[in-house]
Amino acid sequence: NCLEAFLGLMQPFVTQLGLRYLDLIVPTAGKSPVDYVAGPIARPGALADWTPAHHFTAVEYHRAKGRLRVQYTQNSGGTAWPPDLIGLSVVSRRPPPDPMQPNALLDMDRIETVEEIGDASAFCPVFDAMHEDLSHAFRSMITQTALEEWGASSQGETA
């Protein structure tokens, strides 16, 4: 509806559409963020006599007309919000995590090249496809522990 309202005001020429997904991962007692995110994106390499206090991984995936950027940040305490979100209500409404509690932020951007005159009927299927791509990527990155604790099924539905 927001897209239709915007396009009702003007007919923009659009070159890219984007959709962003953020997930703040605050583990339950006795667990670590790596218990929730699968694969190498969440696991920093070992360095003798050192303990990682902050871990950041960024991977960008490409295909014909689009890309998916995945950023994973793991912290010993506090939350490292992306700079473009600091000060926004989505961030300020969240209670700050315990400074001693490890947490992680999974930040994904799905961008599609479209190059069209604005028409909601043309853009809605693109947004639907981008949403499905993000959902699929998220489901492939989380562990069974995450599925069980967050009340999610294998189809990515949340309670």
Side-chain angles (χ1 to χ4, degrees):
N1 291 344
C2 291
L3 178 62
E4 289 173 353
F6 170 72
L7 295 174
L9 297 174
M10 57 192 323
Q11 289 290 309
F13 181 75
V14 178
T15 58
Q16 290 184 345
L17 294 174
L19 194 57
R20 188 171 195 180
Y21 174 82
L22 293 166
D23 187 26
L24 177 61
I25 301 165
V26 180
T28 57
K31 293 203 169 99
S32 163
V34 298
D35 294 321
Y36 299 86
V37 180
I41 196 165
R43 287 159 179 80
L47 191 57
D49 300 327
W50 293 87
T51 301
H54 177 81
H55 170 72
F56 176 78
T57 303
V59 180
E60 186 166 295
Y61 301 92
H62 289 252
R63 64 179 179 201
K65 293 182 76 179
R67 60 188 190 271
L68 171 68
R69 187 184 73 220
V70 178
Q71 296 180 155
Y72 175 85
T73 308
Q74 185 174 316
N75 303 288
S76 293
T79 302
W81 292 104
D84 61 321
L85 295 182
I86 294 173
L88 294 179
S89 63
V90 68
V91 173
S92 62
R93 279 187 272 158
R94 284 205 165 274
D98 178 340
M100 301 309 291
Q101 173 73 33
N103 65 78
L105 184 68
L106 185 59
D107 180 0
M108 298 190 297
D109 294 292
R110 176 66 178 86
I111 299 163
E112 188 78 12
T113 303
V114 290
E115 299 182 18
E116 295 183 23
I117 299 295
D119 176 11
S121 63
F123 293 147
C124 288
V126 178
F127 275 110
D128 289 343
M130 289 189 304
H131 179 265
E132 182 55 37
D133 289 344
L134 285 171
S135 295
H136 178 72
F138 177 75
R139 288 188 308 265
S140 70
M141 283 185 241
I142 61 173
T143 64
Q144 187 62 38
T145 297
L147 288 170
E148 292 166 4
E149 286 191 23
W150 299 339
S153 72
S154 61
Q155 281 72 44
E157 301 297 323
T158 56

